Amino acid sequence: MPLPKAELHLHIEGTLEPELAFTLAARNGVELPFKDTEELRRAYLFEDLQSFLDLYYGLMAVLHTVRDFHDLADAYLARAAEQGVRHAEIFFDPQAHTARGVPIGTVIEGLGRALDASEERHGISTRLIMCFLRDESAESALATLESAKPYLNRITAVGLDSAEVGHPPSKFREVYEAAGALGLRKVAHAGEEGPPSYIHEALDVLGVERIDHGLRCVEDQELVARLVRERVPLTLCPLSNVRLRAIDTLEDHPLREMMDAGLLCTVNSDDPAYFGGYVGDTFHAVREALGLDEERLRELARNSFEASFLDDDEERRAGLLAEVAAYDFATELPE
Ligand code: HPA
Ligand code: ZN
């Protein structure tokens, strides 16, 4: 049995595996600029965040119908369940779809159907986080929030993703204020490629409760002290950091030092179809590369539930935390 864990940093569009991309392309009559799945996989060599985003947005051309979004999310949940995920807080990028003429209602309805069935089908409770694309305008983010109003019962939080540098959190002050007034919770990507000052801004200007990535906080010791003091969770994605060249190798990842400093770290997969592994694979990889012992892995699992938005279901959180505390690593399947 794998270690029970929550996944808090997962872009549902980043779970589009090459096989499903070709299936959906055939179903929808979309021509992909790749001969087959192997040729597509060979394109997964990225220089930086932008070079990944170009392919990531391009492949979304295959997603059209409620059924497509359902199938995408259900496929992710099935794989996540195999790797011990018991709770998933899932990002989606509505503007990447509405810009192609796919209505936001189609996206949310499709994802929602898969998420509604998830606890029974896969044993995974879920929350949905709507992200704004930070390289689009603040007006576009406001219009996106407005268009999501009929579906707010399905949305727990707002987030901020896409090309970071040059698009500081403060650009989105107004839409975060409006989201807060609607009762939505707040997270934002900050400090992935952008400077530590973006992490300060996400906290001070947007009022976020978690920082997605936050890797570059290590460059600012006062910021680290603040994140420790305020117990701000970081949703780290080590395999993503290597693939997008934020760090050279997994052995160089500062996760262990960050945990030693008292930061509330979680480990996540970001875009598992593109970055070489789902969250269980990520746990295995950091364990090997950084030599994390069982208690460190247990701490990461505990952190994932503590940092989750399960505040509206404390009974489930307590049950999952008890499972983590009682987990016997001897029951883990051999790799
Ligand atoms: N960073 C920013 N935007 C994203 C990412 C990421 O790692 N994945 C999908 N959108
Ligand atoms: Zn991300």
Side-chain angles (χ1 to χ4, degrees), residues 9 11 49 52-53 56-57 93 161-163 189 192 213 240 244 270-271 275:
H9 187 150
H11 301 265
L49 176 57
F52 154 70
L53 290 171
Y56 166 83
Y57 293 127
D93 285 331
D161 64 3
S162 201
H189 284 52
E192 179 186 19
H213 290 295
S240 167
L244 301 186
D270 209 3
D271 299 282
F275 299 153

Side-chain angles (χ1 to χ4, degrees), residues 124-265:
I124 303 178
S125 50
T126 60
R127 301 288 184 274
L128 203 51
I129 303 178
M130 179 171 78
C131 285
F132 304 115
L133 301 184
R134 66 199 311 152
D135 44 354
E136 297 292 330
S137 67
E139 292 71 31
S140 174
L142 279 164
T144 300
L145 181 63
E146 189 62 34
S147 70
K149 281 188 177 167
Y151 312 102
L152 288 184
N153 60 334
R154 288 203 177 274
I155 300 172
T156 297
V158 292
L160 190 62
D161 64 3
S162 201
E164 185 181 7
V165 174
H167 302 285
S170 52
K171 177 176 164 187
F172 297 94
R173 176 203 301 264
E174 198 181 341
V175 74
Y176 269 70
E177 260 174 32
L182 291 169
L184 294 168
R185 310 196 58 173
K186 304 171 199 174
V187 299
H189 284 52
E192 179 186 19
E193 287 189 345
S197 63
Y198 283 20
I199 300 175
H200 279 294
E201 261 188 33
L203 295 168
D204 295 333
V205 181
L206 303 185
V208 304
E209 298 175 64
R210 296 198 297 245
I211 297 287
D212 295 315
H213 290 295
L215 181 69
R216 289 191 60 192
C217 76
V218 295
E219 297 169 26
D220 176 343
Q221 285 316 301
E222 269 177 45
L223 174 58
V224 169
R226 174 187 185 182
L227 295 170
V228 171
R229 198 170 54 243
E230 297 179 11
R231 303 242 336 127
V232 179
L234 304 179
T235 63
L236 298 168
C237 306
L239 295 183
S240 167
N241 298 149
V242 175
R243 290 299 183 104
L244 301 186
R245 312 260 193 111
I247 54 169
D248 290 335
T249 70
L250 204 52
E251 285 73 17
D252 298 318
H253 200 285
L255 171 65
R256 175 191 273 280
E257 292 72 30
M258 293 172 86
M259 293 177 81
D260 286 343
L263 288 163
L264 206 169
C265 297

